[in-house]
Amino acid sequence: MFKKLLTTTVMSVAALGVSASIAAADVLEDVEERGTLIAGVKADYPPFGYRSDDGDIVGLEIDLAEDIAERLGVDIELVPVVASNRMEFLDQGKIDVVIATMTNTEEREKVVDFVEPGHYASGTNILAPKKAGFTEWGDLEGKPVCGVQGAFYNRRTQQEYGAEMIAFKGTAEAYTALQQGRCLAFVYDDAALLGQLDKDAWSEFEMPLETIDESPWGMAVATGEDNFREKLTEIVIDWHGSGKILELEEEYGINNTPYAKRMHEEYKDN
Amino acid sequence: MDIIYSWFQQLNETTGINLPVFYNTFDRERFFSGLLVTIQLSVLSLIASVVIGVVGAWLQGSKLVWTRRIVQAYIQFFRNTPPLVQMYFFFFGLSALLPTVENEFGFQQPILGSFAWACISLSFFAGAFNVEIFRSGIEAVPETTREAAESLGYSRLGAYIHVILPLAFRVCLPALNNNLVNLVKTTTLAYAIAVPELLYVSGQIWSDYANVPEMMTLLLLIYVGLVGIVVLGMNRWERAMRLPGYGT
């Protein structure tokens, strides 16, 4: 009796494992069968993914996720994620795809499969008064430059470009210090700075330098989901080629980023 | 020195204990400039806070009611609010109300920088405690001693400086010692307003190298050393000022 029970248990566990691996074998088929694409998105990162006044998740990346669903002919379900859980969710199969301002890094490459090219990118630039007339990174030499403590580019700004770094705990302090004239520039992520430039308070400021350390934000799928990843690659290339990313940037009030422009040039003839 | 540098590099390669402040020139320079800033900040605010304490305690005994009230208000404000909040208030709040000056790049900038504001707020914070510490010392001096000084022709100020304060000092040194040790440790708060002191530079180094445990340990040891120097100096002073038969 006991033996039989054990055998059955082992068999059923094995069967479960097999069926699970079959089910996980192709997310793309799963999505089509289910009729819903489950996407992990940010809900706290305007304008890429945020809550609208009536509580819906909206944003640039949400529009992209909806576009994927539309192309696949399925509905969309949005799952809010944060940096620390998004790869876990993907791994556990809670979501089919991550499209959540995720920078493509070597470390993450080991855990998930990134869709390349990236659909977006951010890099390092400065926010500075127009009057300062900065044109290249070398102009920062000997100048007080605000930053955020712990940012990796602080070292480079100080060591290579000779700036005098004044790093604060958060962005709010750094923006205030820049406005009070405690520094001549604020070195930070260009995507965030572009968002600020849109506001009236920063009308006398500009983002004058060439963006450095640009790294792409990739969509990601679980490892081994090659069919799905290839499908998404096609879609991303089409977004770049058709100028959809550039249009979305304009729609969300962001000045066109160098990355989006460059990718459009690269893929527009496809 | 080169032997020490290469030893730390070796240590990193073999054990993974990464202390770039000993083998990387850039990191070493910024770490030692951070140490220097911490020492400057400590010494300046230490001196200023003792001066505030001595002057404040004298004003507390003033015959003018408003002088006493102002000193009391100062103590209540600075002793009862967090030093970090005070620093933010001075640096971002109060400083915005002051006139600006033109800097070397032709831009308007606030008249005082982060180091100056850190010094001011730390001095006022520790000073508020020092006033009360000195008051405790003054009150321990017998009334008859003050009367004796006056009968010898001392003015109120003269009696304070030459008779009461030297005696009061002896009584309040242990409490003063405590407060000054606290002040040296509180200088780390200055990193919040971007004063490049030890914690600030260490924070930048450990975010560059992801060597938080090593830097934390180094930081702790350095503060133990710095506080040790203050305690040693204060204890010596205490011994040197000891009057046989006075106090304990």
Side-chain angles (χ1 to χ4, degrees), chain A residues 129 131-132 142-144 149-151 154-155 158-159 165-169 173 176 180-182 184, chain B residues 24 26-27 30 88 91-92 95-96 105 107-110 112 191-194 200 204 207-209:
Chain A
K131 231 171 66 179
K143 309 283 194 323
Q149 282 166 14
N154 288 357
R155 185 191 181 98
Q158 191 173 351
Q159 201 174 11
M165 283 302 299
I166 307 170
F168 291 91
K169 274 183 76 82
E173 288 102 315
T176 308
Q180 289 186 347
R182 295 195 178 275
L184 295 188
Chain B
N24 183 298
F26 179 73
D27 294 310
R30 62 175 168 173
Y88 273 131
F91 187 69
F92 286 114
S95 149
F105 313 108
F107 282 86
Q108 292 295 313
Q109 72 172 24
L112 291 175
Y191 87 114
I193 57 168
Y200 173 98
Q204 193 60 53
S207 60
D208 284 349
Y209 291 91

Side-chain angles (χ1 to χ4, degrees), chain A residues 224-251:
Chain A
E225 296 295 344
D226 294 338
N227 279 339
F228 192 30
R229 190 171 47 80
E230 275 159 28
K231 180 77 192 164
L232 290 174
T233 306
E234 268 172 45
I235 295 176
V236 171
I237 288 175
D238 189 62
W239 284 341
H240 286 306
S242 66
K244 184 174 176 69
I245 304 278
L246 294 171
E247 278 168 30
L248 281 176
E249 283 186 326
E250 280 156 27
E251 198 185 317

